[in-house]
Amino acid sequence: MELNNLIDVMKEDIIKATQEIIKIKSVEGEAKPGMPFGEGVNKALENALGVAKELGFHTVNLDGYVGYAEYGQGEDYVLALGHLDVVPEGDGWLYPAYGAEIHEGKMYGRGTTDDKGPIMAALFGLKAIKDANLTLSKRVRILFGTNEETGSKELEHYLEKEKPPVAGFTPDADYPIINGEKGITIFNIVKDFEIKDKGENYIKYIKGGQAANMVPDYCEAGIISTKAESIVRALRVFVKDDENSKLSIVVNKNLVIIKSKGESAHGSLPELGRNAIMQLLAFIGTLDLVDNDISEFIKFVNKNIGMEIHGESFGVCLEDENSGKMSFNVGTMDMDRKSATMTLNLRYPVTSKLEDMMNPFNNKIEGTGIRVEKFVHQEPLYFSPDSPIIKSLQKVYTEQTGNEAKLVSIGGGTYAKEMPNIVAFGPMFPGEPDTIHKQNEYITIDNLIKNAKIYAHALYELAK
């Protein structure tokens, strides 16, 4: 427990260093010479490297993209990889978002948990190893990333210049250990329409959603109709039959605007939200409209997607024991008289392959005039329970917490997908409230110190 005692001695230094870096607003900004992600992010990088230098480590700044602190000798190195960039703070904070104020044992601020607090904890964990003079067979690096929230472009630069680590972790998810991350796809399905005689009832537009990886909480449609009353009546019946639907209607002469309210959630967890786009399309599908092309498209997505979140009717509902069912999220929709574009975010199980999902998907849309565009894909990540990295981290977690180190698979993606031989490990403990990306993000002082102890032992275990 020598490492733990050394960390307890450094407790005030860890708190102070974390507070200083939280006070820097490091949201991605305009690129400047030597500052690819803007001034705020660069200031945070220089701050972290300054702390590392004061602690006696060799430090390197790689062209403003990343920086690292290094300790020890050896051909190979192990890595703790965290990020200093943060998402925008938003509104509704109890305490200043960049104040790093401590109230009732909690330090509040953007980045306290995601990810400045945990990477500072790892840095001081390495300082404890240095002070204890423990023998290592490998070098240890603490890598300060700068672009995790908006693309991880800095790691491409790093891997062009440096060889990858042989083992390591990113303190940017949950405990016990994330050994699986689902494959992630984002793409559009697009259909062009033939503009025929408009007739008396037709859809002028449908628009909703903000991003592919969010369950949309709002969508609206504009319908030109000489029979507005019949649409109003149909809506009353629909809402009465489905009490969960939140739909409202505004009539302005012959323009009928239908508003659909859903509930937002992360695209990896669509079960936590309610999809406003699909809710609206379910209702529109009950109307008698003259647009054959448009009606066919709406009929297709209602029949094959509807309010489902696992792709059952689409024929793509993959599942495995490690990560459960795939998730199917309709993120945005933009439709007018000429075409419809729907953005999908599909995340498939860790032991599946992309073609297991896309072959049946493409079969389903064959002959419908629907095409796939702007396809983006990230392979799944999976570490076997027998992997030496997994075994080492399980041992450390159990010894330090007294709890079983169960393996977890997630639908989200971390740095582990961008850097070889890395798994996500902490900093969130099971059952604790998740404030990441939310207002009033905080880390408890107890957890900050507990993380430093776990990360010290993890780095030693991997590098000894």
Side-chain angles (χ1 to χ4, degrees):
M1 299 302 277
E2 184 186 4
L3 290 174
N4 289 357
N5 295 336
L6 287 165
I7 284 164
D8 283 331
V9 170
M10 292 189 282
K11 180 178 176 178
E12 293 309 316
D13 292 339
I14 298 171
I15 293 168
K16 183 171 170 284
T18 304
Q19 281 180 304
E20 287 306 311
I21 201 160
I22 295 299
K23 287 174 183 175
I24 300 167
K25 182 173 178 173
S26 51
V27 177
E28 183 178 5
E30 187 190 337
K32 296 193 169 171
M35 306 178 192
F37 308 111
E39 283 182 27
V41 174
N42 188 66
K43 196 174 171 190
L45 179 60
E46 287 182 346
N47 174 282
L49 292 172
V51 172
K53 205 164 203 145
E54 275 177 37
L55 295 176
F57 296 118
H58 168 61
T59 62
V60 173
N61 184 336
L62 264 183
D63 313 315
Y65 280 87
V66 292
Y68 61 83
E70 188 171 71
Y71 174 69
Q73 306 295 319
E75 180 59 32
D76 295 325
Y77 73 95
V78 303
L79 185 69
L81 163 62
H83 65 92
L84 304 177
D85 60 313
V86 295
V87 295
E89 66 278 10
D91 301 320
W93 286 71
L94 287 171
Y95 308 106
Y98 302 103
E101 292 182 14
I102 297 170
H103 299 272
E104 296 172 352
K106 298 170 181 172
M107 185 191 299
Y108 287 85
R110 182 58 84 224
T112 43
T113 298
D114 182 29
D115 194 29
K116 291 174 176 177
I119 199 61
M120 294 314 272
L123 179 66
F124 278 87
L126 183 58
K127 168 70 169 152
I129 292 172
K130 180 172 174 280
D131 289 353
N133 234 343
L134 296 175
T135 307
L136 305 177
S137 69
K138 303 172 187 75
R139 289 173 288 143
V140 181
R141 275 184 190 175
I142 310 293
L143 188 65
F144 304 109
T146 54
N147 186 233
E148 193 272 344
E149 298 292 5
T150 47
S152 302
K153 292 182 277 291
E154 84 283 40
L155 294 191
E156 291 171 24
H157 187 81
Y158 178 81
L159 288 168
E160 280 169 14
K161 306 261 177 164
E162 302 278 339
K163 68 176 189 177
V166 292
F169 58 87
T170 177
D172 193 20
D174 302 296
Y175 288 118
I177 301 165
I178 309 286
N179 73 315
E181 297 181 15
K182 286 180 178 175
I184 301 176
T185 62
I186 291 176
F187 58 94
N188 292 341
I189 55 170
V190 182
K191 183 168 184 182
D192 298 322
F193 304 130
E194 280 182 41
I195 302 175
K196 296 181 178 159
D197 175 36
K198 286 181 181 168
E200 293 179 337
N201 296 298
Y202 64 89
I203 300 170
K204 191 177 179 187
Y205 68 88
I206 300 175
K207 194 166 178 62
Q210 291 172 284
N213 64 351
M214 288 172 72
V215 177
D217 60 3
Y218 184 75
C219 184
E220 75 170 54
I223 299 176
I224 302 293
S225 177
T226 55
K227 300 174 185 170
E229 265 313 305
S230 66
I231 297 177
V232 173
R233 281 196 300 274
L235 188 83
R236 282 197 202 116
V237 172
F238 185 86
V239 172
K240 192 176 163 197
D241 290 346
D242 183 357
E243 291 172 2
N244 293 320
S245 291
K246 288 187 179 168
L247 293 162
S248 60
I249 202 161
V250 178
V251 179
N252 185 355
K253 293 180 182 168
N254 70 338
L255 175 62
V256 180
I257 296 174
I258 303 162
K259 300 180 177 186
S260 170
K261 284 192 176 170
E263 197 171 324
S264 188
H266 196 279
S268 64
L269 299 164
E271 63 273 20
L272 300 182
R274 183 172 175 86
N275 196 304
I277 293 170
M278 296 315 301
Q279 176 179 265
L280 180 62
L281 293 180
F283 169 64
I284 290 177
T286 67
L287 302 176
D288 183 22
L289 299 167
V290 297
D291 296 302
N292 290 340
D293 249 12
I294 292 175
S295 295
E296 283 302 311
F297 178 74
I298 291 172
K299 197 183 288 179
F300 176 85
V301 294
N302 279 336
K303 182 184 173 189
N304 295 299
I305 304 174
M307 298 303 285
E308 294 176 356
I309 53 169
H310 301 300
E312 298 93 333
S313 298
F314 223 102
V316 296
C317 182
L318 300 169
E319 184 175 5
D320 70 13
E321 203 179 317
N322 301 293
S323 55
K325 290 182 178 179
M326 70 164 278
S327 62
F328 191 118
N329 183 56
V330 176
T332 69
M333 177 154 184
D334 194 355
M335 190 184 106
D336 57 22
R337 302 286 300 149
K338 294 177 182 171
S339 68
T341 300
M342 194 177 248
T343 307
L344 304 181
N345 182 195
L346 276 50
R347 299 170 187 244
Y348 62 92
V350 296
T351 57
S352 298
K353 292 187 166 60
L354 178 63
E355 55 266 29
D356 299 337
M357 179 179 81
M358 289 313 294
N359 288 347
F361 187 96
N362 288 326
N363 290 341
K364 180 66 79 171
I365 62 172
E366 198 175 332
T368 62
I370 296 169
R371 64 184 183 274
V372 168
E373 288 185 357
K374 295 188 176 174
F375 193 90
V376 177
H377 174 232
Q378 207 179 32
E379 295 274 351
L381 174 80
Y382 181 63
F383 280 79
S384 158
D386 298 323
S387 151
I389 298 172
I390 298 297
K391 291 282 186 210
S392 295
L393 297 180
Q394 279 183 308
K395 173 176 179 272
V396 167
Y397 182 81
T398 300
E399 284 174 357
Q400 292 302 308
T401 66
N403 298 319
E404 186 192 347
K406 291 179 179 169
L407 302 181
V408 181
S409 285
I410 59 171
T414 72
Y415 264 152
K417 278 192 174 155
E418 313 292 338
M419 180 71 72
N421 308 318
I422 293 285
V423 296
F425 184 49
M428 301 280 296
F429 291 93
E432 297 200 341
D434 178 0
T435 60
I436 289 171
H437 289 201
K438 298 176 184 171
Q439 67 214 68
N440 304 315
E441 181 183 342
Y442 69 82
I443 191 167
T444 65
I445 300 302
D446 286 351
N447 282 356
L448 182 64
I449 303 308
K450 202 197 288 191
N451 272 302
K453 292 174 180 176
I454 292 171
Y455 293 149
H457 285 90
L459 289 169
Y460 174 62
E461 197 64 36
L462 294 171
K464 68 183 185 184

